[in-house]
Amino acid sequence: MLVLTRKSNESLKLGDDITITVVEIKGGSVRLGIEAPATMRIFRKELYDKIRKENLLSANVMEDEFAKINKSLGPK
Amino acid sequence: MIKFETSRFGSLEVEPHRVIDFPEGLIGLPELKKFILIDHRDTPLKWLQSLDDPDMAFIVGSPSLLVAEYSLQLEDGVRKYLQLNKEEDLVPLVIMRVQGEDIIANFQGPILINAEKMRGVQLVVDSKPRASQKAG
């Protein structure tokens, strides 16, 4: 892992299109500002990991589970 | 016609316009870039079947099956990503699974499909509000 030291209001460039700025350092938290193309998808990693895990759990469902879910939806 | 194998439905052939393109795959599954939606008999649920991996199929349904009112605040970036022109082309889906006696629906990672362009994305819904919009 590349480790760099930055002070408040200093930035990093990731390639040509992405700039990450240290906006504020307070207590144990760092506020970051991210400038990136609008279609670039940016996630908090813990949320990304949670959804990744959920996806893996959901990918191997079988037909009987389908029936169970359908039943739980009740009459339509 | 596009022909591919699935572990649940055997060998399938579909017309190319039925294939949904997920340019970045699903979250944590970037290799799954092409899917089709398969109706399941007379149920309101569908299978989201991967064309890239025969084993990968998700049970999906409209969020309205589970909640009375569903709305998503879409950022402009997502609209651009999906190449969305008309709001009515937007199809939201949630992935569902069973855990014991419970049905788990992944509202934090909903799937959005632009039915016109057949382009899809899985969102990560961040409950914490963003300080400001992304630039770009």
Side-chain angles (χ1 to χ4, degrees):
Chain A
M1 188 193 287
L2 171 69
V3 179
L4 296 167
T5 302
R6 301 274 65 195
K7 295 191 173 75
S8 202
N9 291 318
E10 289 183 342
S11 299
L12 285 175
K13 293 287 291 182
L14 273 61
D16 293 327
D17 294 340
I18 303 167
T19 305
I20 299 175
T21 304
V22 178
V23 175
E24 189 185 20
I25 306 165
K26 202 164 80 180
S29 298
V30 179
R31 275 167 69 82
L32 300 174
I34 302 161
E35 289 168 81
T39 52
M40 171 76 63
R41 309 184 65 225
I42 300 165
F43 312 108
R44 289 188 167 84
K45 186 173 182 294
E46 63 274 21
L47 264 180
Y48 178 96
D49 288 344
K50 191 177 163 192
I51 290 166
R52 175 180 184 276
K53 197 174 146 207
E54 192 54 42
N55 277 346
L56 294 173
L57 287 170
S58 303
N60 284 310
V61 290
M62 302 313 289
E63 289 229 31
D64 57 327
E65 292 178 63
F66 192 106
K68 212 167 173 178
I69 293 173
N70 189 47
K71 204 175 150 202
S72 78
L73 296 175
K76 281 285 151 188
Chain B
M1 296 293 267
I2 295 172
K3 204 171 173 183
F4 57 97
E5 296 299 318
T6 71
S7 55
R8 291 172 187 75
F9 313 106
S11 181
L12 294 182
E13 258 184 61
V14 297
E15 291 170 43
H17 69 82
R18 282 192 54 200
V19 177
I20 308 160
D21 189 27
F22 284 70
E24 291 176 39
L26 299 186
I27 304 287
L29 297 163
E31 70 280 13
L32 306 184
K33 294 195 191 311
K34 301 216 177 286
F35 286 89
I36 57 158
L37 279 171
I38 301 173
D39 289 328
H40 194 87
R41 294 185 212 112
D42 53 349
T43 76
L45 300 171
K46 293 176 196 294
W47 289 95
L48 185 67
Q49 168 71 53
S50 168
L51 272 65
D52 301 295
D53 184 334
D55 293 335
M56 291 297 200
F58 300 84
I59 298 172
V60 296
S62 164
S64 65
L65 295 170
L66 298 160
V67 292
E69 278 184 38
Y70 182 76
S71 68
L72 261 182
Q73 285 289 346
L74 271 200
E75 288 175 31
D76 283 347
V78 176
R79 282 172 213 280
K80 273 188 205 163
Y81 186 94
L82 288 173
Q83 300 168 2
L84 190 70
N85 297 316
K86 302 190 301 293
E87 211 63 23
E88 58 263 37
D89 291 326
L90 193 67
V91 181
L93 295 168
V94 283
I95 297 175
M96 298 178 213
R97 68 180 172 91
V98 174
Q99 186 170 287
E101 292 305 306
D102 296 326
I103 308 298
I104 312 278
N106 188 0
F107 279 97
Q108 219 165 16
I111 285 173
L112 291 180
I113 294 166
N114 176 356
E116 184 207 6
K117 303 271 173 158
M118 293 302 267
R119 235 174 119 83
V121 70
Q122 185 173 27
L123 294 188
V124 172
V125 177
D126 199 334
S127 46
K128 296 176 198 165
R130 287 212 182 159
S132 64
Q133 273 288 334
K134 283 182 279 177

